Amino acid sequence: MKKLLIAAAVLAAMPLVASADGGWAGSGELGFAASRGNAKSENLNAKLNFSMEDDVWKDNFYLSALRSKGNTTSIETIGGVPTAVTRYDYTANRYEVGASAGYKFDERSYLVGALRYENDDFSPFNYQAVLSLGYGYTAVKNERTELFFEIGPGYKRFEPILTGETESDVVGRGLIGYRHRFNDNTAFENTFLVEAGSDNTFYQNDAGLVVNMNKTLALKLGYQVRHNTDVAPGIKKTDQLMTTNLVYNF
């Protein structure tokens, strides 16, 4: 396991080395909504993604954040009388960062090391961190369509909110990435991630429809589903997020 962690850490650092040759492209997404009056709320979601691929490397780095505040009402006993109390507080607070580095054996096969860390105040876990090393295969890649798969073992550290104690587990990581361009202005993309362990299996699916306004700006409709199989009592296993973001390509 120690050799696995060292090898994956070295592979995850390779994008910094490969960046010396250039070839990186990226995009930033931002969505914001606010309401005032009888109801007060603020919602912000942001994403940043960099990727680079050449004859040897296939690398990716991403960062995402979700924050939401709104009026929440609960029933509290005040002076022996049940009373509705309204507070302005967080209803979502999550950030996630990840990176992967792939070393190509040929045009389709590659060795991939991946890192992912998330902190979510409203999930069954205070944080989850996964380091993995595996095999990747590009099944389809042309001007319009790309489909690739990644699979391999990993090591996970996490902290359940129920106990507040850090735990670890060996997991199996799988990733399916798909992108199809309908025309010069419209594309659909979907990423499915699974991290399966003995204590918990985490699934995440991100689907998005991107419509270009010009070479730099685009609109993106996104739908995300996150699922944990093992959660504390009273906590839902599945979270869903729908977004409409402005995308800046650079």
Side-chain angles (χ1 to χ4, degrees), residues 94-117:
R94 181 178 80 220
Y95 65 86
E96 181 181 359
V97 60
S100 66
Y103 178 78
K104 293 184 177 180
F105 300 122
D106 51 46
E107 291 184 357
R108 294 186 179 274
S109 302
Y110 57 96
L111 178 70
V112 59
L115 293 164
R116 188 183 76 86
Y117 175 86

Side-chain angles (χ1 to χ4, degrees), residues 42-44 64-69 89-96 118-123 125-126 226:
E42 295 177 349
N43 301 277
L44 173 68
S64 66
L66 171 67
R67 301 192 74 177
S68 178
K69 297 184 73 174
D89 203 355
Y90 283 107
T91 56
N93 188 29
R94 181 178 80 220
Y95 65 86
E96 181 181 359
E118 74 165 45
N119 188 297
D120 190 347
D121 292 347
F122 295 87
S123 84
F125 305 92
N126 291 324
R226 297 160 55 90

Side-chain angles (χ1 to χ4, degrees), residues 3-20:
K3 293 182 179 179
L4 173 63
L5 296 176
I6 294 174
V10 171
L11 281 173
M14 286 182 178
L16 299 177
V17 178
S19 64

Side-chain angles (χ1 to χ4, degrees), residues 37-106:
N38 293 316
K40 182 181 180 182
S41 67
E42 295 177 349
N43 301 277
L44 173 68
N45 73 90
K47 297 180 181 180
L48 185 64
N49 185 85
F50 292 97
S51 60
M52 188 281 294
E53 183 172 358
D54 56 22
D55 295 337
V56 180
W57 301 106
K58 181 178 181 179
D59 304 325
N60 180 261
F61 171 82
Y62 71 90
L63 174 67
S64 66
L66 171 67
R67 301 192 74 177
S68 178
K69 297 184 73 174
N71 290 333
T72 59
T73 302
S74 60
I75 304 299
E76 299 181 7
T77 301
I78 301 177
V81 180
T83 305
V85 178
T86 300
R87 292 185 174 88
Y88 186 63
D89 203 355
Y90 283 107
T91 56
N93 188 29
R94 181 178 80 220
Y95 65 86
E96 181 181 359
V97 60
S100 66
Y103 178 78
K104 293 184 177 180
F105 300 122
D106 51 46

Side-chain angles (χ1 to χ4, degrees), residues 189-203:
E189 54 191 35
N190 192 88
T191 303
F192 176 71
L193 171 68
V194 58
E195 296 165 351
S198 59
D199 293 326
N200 178 63
T201 297
F202 172 74
Y203 303 93

Side-chain angles (χ1 to χ4, degrees), residues 32 70 130 149 196 234:
F32 178 75
V130 179
F149 305 88

